[in-house]
Amino acid sequence: MANVFQLPANVEAERCVLGAMMISPQACAVALGSLEEDNFSDVDPRNRMIFHAMKELSFSGKPIDVNTVFDEIISLQLNKEVTAQYLGELLNLVISPDNVDDYIAMVHEQAVLRDFLLEMKSIQEEYAKGVPNIGEFIEKSNASIGLIAQKRMVKGMVSAADVANTVGVKIQQSSTSNVRGLIGIDTGFRELNALTHGWQKEDLIILAARPSVGKTALGLNFAFNAASKSKCTVAFFSLEMSSEKIMERLLASRSSVNSEKIMQGFLDQRDKVKLAAAIDEISKTRLYFDDSPDSKLGDIISKATQLKNQHPDLGLIVIDYLGRIRMSDRTSLDQRQQEVSIISGQLKQLARSLHVPVICLAQLNRDVEKTETKKPQLSNLRESGAIEQDADVCILLYREDYYTNLGISVTEKKKKFSQQEEAPKEEAPKKNQDVSEVSLIIAKNRNGKTGECKLIFQKNFSRFSDPSREFESRQAEIEAGRLQRSDE
């Protein structure tokens, strides 16, 4: 005889909740706000009927006690199964209404477990019918199980005293843990640390730029800086480049050997020594790569969760990039905006569930090139406005030499052309084409400052670095002169 699959239930907890609801208005309000009808099992259908009657009474604004519940059951024609005797038995259960929270939690836990087991059974049945696309099947299954798991994360309200004490401990730890004032993961850059205080746990950080501005190189710099300076495990998901190509960039950055020479293999003895030292430096970090080109959102979440389980010190996740993440191979262009909204929301949820900052690279749309200054704004984020809404921090990259080869701003270039008949044409001074000044525009910072900071980008090394103090002083003088001329 085959075993009958029996779903979990705690009937006694269900009865205790219903009994407390008929005794205490406070307990009734808590239960109605915490439970749904389908949280009650099929083991004793009467419990679900009674809860249904209580909800109807609540909607009607009527009091809830043993008499009103029995009258409502009669009016709903449920009296054949629910009797006055059974309601009396519920009242006689020994439970203090003050403890109703514990019994509500028991009912809720069993309901979530039932949903989980039923979903697993449904997944098995779908598999038995045949799976034409394994990736989509796993993605769909992971998403459905994830929704059920989120139900498990329901918790009650906490007092201000508890929150204040928790924050007080955090402040105390922060004040003694880092002499540079960092309370998060080290970005590796002086001005950026001053604005963000480091990458914060549970934050979703969007790093956006036009193609070829340097966002992948900067994302890789962020990943290595976190692994080397904060001594934590870091995950780097590359949906566009292989891990070997990513490593070539990282080796160029750490060794100061031209990336072209590394790719072509034209290395002298000095280069080989520098690369050997860079390999040794990188090997000492806990930096992990995933270069699966067809990764779905569920794959990223699953692998990140697995890495967190293996390395509890996971301190940062970097994803390159948002435009490559899919939930399904069959998503149409019309559905893409909605899909991106879901993806950005799930990445924020990933950051919160793993207590890890997530940096996701993204592209800016072409509208930024229609402006006079070419400086990006939040409205230039591509594909969905939900990205801006879900992100805690939005960093937009701007590189002036991306738009001009003359080494002057677009505005100045336009002004020179308009004056070319009045003044003799002068050739602009040549600049090192491998070195660029990059502006990091902190356009959104939910828990900190917004502003702008400068970095120096050495393209042939794929390396970003802080500008020198002399450079910063000179830039401040130039800006002060510009403001004075505008006032005049």
Side-chain angles (χ1 to χ4, degrees):
M1 183 176 178
N3 293 329
V4 178
F5 180 70
Q6 186 171 356
L7 292 171
N10 190 331
V11 179
E12 287 305 312
E14 294 176 9
R15 291 171 177 168
C16 288
V17 170
L18 296 174
M21 290 175 72
M22 289 187 288
I23 294 174
S24 166
Q26 290 77 16
C28 186
V30 172
L32 288 173
S34 305
L35 297 174
E36 299 292 340
E37 289 179 39
D38 57 6
N39 291 147
F40 291 83
S41 67
D42 293 328
V43 176
D44 191 339
R46 294 177 296 179
N47 295 336
R48 184 179 294 181
M49 295 176 187
I50 294 170
F51 189 79
H52 175 71
M54 291 177 171
K55 285 191 69 174
E56 293 296 320
L57 288 170
S58 177
F59 289 149
S60 302
K62 299 177 181 178
I64 296 176
D65 55 42
V66 64
N67 295 319
T68 57
V69 170
F70 187 62
D71 289 340
E72 185 69 17
I73 287 172
I74 293 175
S75 66
L76 295 173
Q77 299 182 350
L78 302 174
N79 56 308
K80 292 182 180 179
E81 298 183 47
V82 181
T83 62
Q85 180 181 353
Y86 183 66
L87 292 176
E89 292 174 3
L90 298 180
L91 289 176
N92 292 328
L93 292 172
V94 181
I95 169 181
S96 168
D98 295 335
N99 298 330
V100 71
D101 285 339
D102 296 329
Y103 291 90
I104 289 174
M106 295 177 195
V107 174
H108 189 268
E109 292 278 304
Q110 294 297 308
V112 172
L113 184 55
R114 284 197 303 273
D115 289 344
F116 178 80
L117 294 174
L118 288 171
E119 186 59 36
M120 292 293 292
K121 184 171 181 288
S122 175
I123 291 171
Q124 289 178 331
E125 290 173 350
E126 185 176 350
Y127 171 77
K129 296 176 183 177
V131 179
N133 187 310
I134 295 177
E136 286 191 13
F137 173 73
I138 294 175
E139 166 68 19
K140 180 181 176 182
S141 301
N142 186 72
S144 62
I145 291 174
L147 290 174
I148 295 172
Q150 289 179 16
K151 298 179 182 178
R152 173 67 177 80
M153 299 176 187
V154 175
K155 62 179 181 179
M157 298 182 71
V158 294
S159 69
D162 290 339
V163 177
N165 289 330
T166 300
V167 173
V169 171
K170 181 179 177 182
I171 293 172
Q172 180 63 30
Q173 291 173 342
S174 301
S175 64
T176 58
S177 62
N178 195 306
V179 295
R180 290 178 296 159
L182 289 182
I183 57 176
I185 298 298
D186 198 337
T187 72
F189 302 108
R190 186 173 57 247
E191 284 190 77
L192 189 57
N193 278 340
L195 287 170
T196 64
H197 303 295
W199 308 126
Q200 305 302 312
K201 291 181 179 180
E202 303 187 8
D203 273 5
L204 173 61
I205 302 110
I206 297 296
L207 176 63
R210 292 293 294 147
S212 302
V213 168
K215 60 180 179 296
T216 296
L218 184 55
L220 186 59
N221 277 222
F222 285 152
F224 179 82
N225 291 341
S228 62
K229 296 178 181 295
S230 292
K231 308 296 182 184
C232 62
T233 298
V234 176
F236 191 98
F237 290 90
S238 177
L239 282 69
E240 197 169 32
M241 299 173 63
S242 69
S243 57
E244 288 80 7
K245 291 296 182 184
I246 290 290
M247 183 54 66
E248 287 177 357
R249 289 191 174 200
L250 185 55
L251 284 171
S253 173
R254 304 313 305 166
S255 67
S256 296
V257 175
N258 194 303
S259 55
E260 289 290 334
K261 296 177 68 176
I262 294 175
M263 287 188 289
Q264 295 172 2
F266 298 149
L267 305 171
D268 57 28
Q269 188 59 36
R270 185 181 179 185
D271 293 334
K272 292 178 181 178
V273 171
K274 292 164 71 176
L275 282 170
I279 290 173
D280 181 64
E281 180 188 27
I282 295 169
S283 298
K284 292 177 181 178
T285 66
R286 294 188 298 278
L287 181 55
Y288 290 83
F289 295 98
D290 181 87
D291 61 357
S292 304
D294 57 347
S295 286
K296 305 293 191 302
L297 175 62
D299 298 329
I300 294 173
I301 293 173
S302 176
K303 291 174 183 177
T305 304
Q306 184 179 7
L307 187 63
K308 175 71 173 181
N309 292 334
Q310 295 171 347
H311 299 273
D313 70 331
L314 179 65
L316 180 66
I317 297 170
V318 181
I319 303 172
D320 183 17
Y321 69 101
L322 182 64
R324 291 282 185 180
I325 304 175
R326 293 288 185 272
M327 296 185 66
S328 170
D329 291 329
R330 301 176 182 177
T331 304
S332 66
L333 292 176
D334 295 337
Q335 298 171 318
R336 179 58 182 166
Q337 185 170 353
Q338 181 180 3
E339 185 180 56
V340 170
S341 299
I342 297 173
I343 290 171
S344 64
Q346 287 294 307
L347 290 179
K348 173 58 182 175
Q349 182 61 39
L350 175 66
R352 292 197 63 186
S353 62
L354 298 186
H355 304 288
V356 171
V358 174
I359 299 177
C360 187
L361 279 54
Q363 283 196 8
L364 297 171
N365 58 41
R366 293 181 181 275
D367 290 345
V368 67
E369 297 174 358
K370 299 176 183 178
T371 64
E372 184 177 2
T373 64
K374 308 295 190 273
K375 281 201 170 185
Q377 300 176 349
L378 285 175
S379 58
N380 298 128
L381 283 170
R382 192 171 177 178
E383 294 183 313
S384 174
I387 301 173
E388 175 189 347
Q389 179 180 336
D390 292 324
D392 297 283
V393 180
C394 287
I395 303 176
L396 312 178
L397 268 62
Y398 170 72
R399 228 180 70 204
E400 189 172 323
D401 65 353
Y402 177 80
Y403 297 101
T404 176
N405 295 322
L406 297 179
I408 54 178
S409 71
V410 177
T411 304
E412 291 172 332
K413 179 180 178 181
K414 182 177 179 181
K415 189 182 297 183
K416 275 185 176 292
F417 285 167
S418 65
Q419 297 173 349
Q420 61 184 353
E421 294 182 358
E422 303 174 9
K425 185 176 181 180
E426 296 181 4
E427 185 177 354
K430 297 291 183 181
K431 289 192 175 183
N432 187 343
Q433 298 298 312
D434 289 327
V435 179
S436 297
E437 177 189 313
V438 179
S439 296
L440 271 61
I441 303 168
I442 318 299
K444 178 183 179 181
N445 190 358
R446 197 188 304 272
N447 300 307
K449 302 176 184 177
T450 58
E452 185 174 331
C453 61
K454 305 287 187 182
L455 294 180
I456 303 301
F457 180 32
Q458 295 171 277
K459 295 187 281 292
N460 54 343
F461 298 148
S462 296
R463 182 171 64 215
F464 283 82
S465 57
D466 283 315
S468 65
R469 296 292 188 184
E470 292 76 15
F471 176 87
E472 291 177 338
S473 299
R474 188 165 63 252
Q475 289 298 110
E477 292 173 1
I478 294 173
E479 183 62 26
R482 184 182 295 118
L483 292 174
Q484 183 176 358
R485 287 193 299 273
S486 64
D487 291 340
E488 294 173 354

